[in-house]
Amino acid sequence: MPLLHSSDETTMTLRIPMALMVFLTLAGCGSSRSGVIPPQAGPGPEPVLTLVWAGRGEAERMEGGTWKRVPEFDYEFTVEQRRYATHWESVKSLRRRHPGYDGSAGPREQTMFFRLDYTAPDPKGRVSSTIRSSLGDGTGHTDPEFRQAVMEMHPDLSRFAPFDRYRISQVYAYERGVLEETVELLKGETPWVRNLEQATLYAPHRFDSAPTSAAR
């Protein structure tokens, strides 16, 4: 085995952790497990309600005990949310447009799937859920009107990864047609990254005339 000079050792020492960090981030932030979206031939059952949300997420990273904006990781997103009697299915698509994005959180364009199976409200009115998703399996809870929810998912990552779970906190402001979310990546209870999302509700309706025109 050839020996390394001291300068070579320094280069290798710096290079390995950087490569490891990129690998771990790719393995986690943009992970998509095969087999999560259930196969289906033809149309499935009709949902009770279908909602479409469109919005933007702003990224922050914890540095020295303070949240620091990292706009290179901001994204636009849409969510197709199909609500059935006892479960929800959501497909989330996001796009990172910033020219400085370095690809360390996965491809610029990503699609994720979430299925939440709900229990009946307990005596205190709490509704629990079990989650299967592209980001990992987990659990959650909400209120009977699905206005405020918290979900936690545990991705299959190396113990050396900078985070070990996702926590998503949601506020559905139906009357304003707004969804607010905080997506956190945590190691234990130590935060590493968070994304602050706000989306607008788009519900089915008809137009009395063409909504846009090429006429100037």
Side-chain angles (χ1 to χ4, degrees):
M1 179 178 181
L3 297 177
L4 295 174
H5 295 292
S6 59
S7 59
D8 296 327
E9 291 175 344
T10 301
T11 302
M12 288 294 291
T13 301
L14 292 173
R15 186 179 299 156
I16 292 174
M18 290 175 64
L20 178 62
M21 179 61 71
V22 171
F23 170 76
L24 292 173
T25 307
L26 282 169
C29 297
S31 62
S32 178
R33 304 179 333 168
S34 61
V36 174
I37 300 179
Q40 182 176 289
E46 189 69 20
V48 175
L49 179 66
T50 299
L51 302 177
V52 176
W53 305 89
R56 178 177 174 80
E58 295 188 346
E60 299 178 338
R61 184 168 53 228
M62 179 64 72
E63 295 185 4
T66 302
W67 287 110
K68 179 183 177 181
R69 280 280 288 123
V70 279
E72 296 84 357
F73 287 78
D74 292 352
Y75 51 87
E76 301 168 353
F77 69 92
T78 56
V79 176
E80 302 170 28
Q81 188 178 78
R82 291 173 173 81
R83 301 184 178 187
Y84 299 88
T86 58
H87 79 279
W88 292 7
E89 294 184 6
S90 297
V91 177
K92 181 175 185 176
S93 302
L94 67 83
R95 299 157 296 284
R96 291 186 171 92
R97 295 182 180 272
H98 197 289
Y101 175 62
D102 61 8
S104 61
R108 283 184 177 273
E109 300 179 5
Q110 300 176 26
T111 300
M112 291 157 277
F113 177 80
F114 302 84
R115 174 175 172 135
L116 286 74
D117 288 272
Y118 289 102
T119 65
D122 65 19
K124 295 183 179 181
R126 181 182 173 111
V127 178
S128 299
S129 63
T130 57
I131 303 168
R132 189 169 183 229
S133 79
S134 305
L135 301 180
D137 297 339
T139 59
H141 61 83
T142 184
D143 58 277
E145 292 190 338
F146 303 101
R147 290 181 177 273
Q148 297 189 47
V150 177
M151 302 178 288
E152 290 200 357
M153 289 150 288
H154 300 269
D156 184 15
L157 298 176
S158 163
R159 62 188 180 90
F160 298 107
F163 69 101
D164 58 19
R165 75 181 187 283
Y166 298 91
R167 178 187 293 155
I168 302 177
S169 303
Q170 299 176 313
V171 176
Y172 287 90
Y174 296 112
E175 290 78 6
R176 293 190 292 117
V178 172
L179 168 60
E180 296 175 340
E181 289 190 329
T182 300
V183 182
E184 301 173 274
L185 283 65
L186 306 103
K187 183 81 166 183
E189 286 300 322
T190 303
W192 177 50
V193 167
R194 72 179 180 185
N195 300 312
L196 306 177
E197 299 182 348
Q198 181 162 311
T200 302
L201 172 64
Y202 291 82
H205 66 279
R206 296 184 178 183
F207 295 100
D208 295 330
S209 60
T212 59
S213 172
R216 296 181 182 274

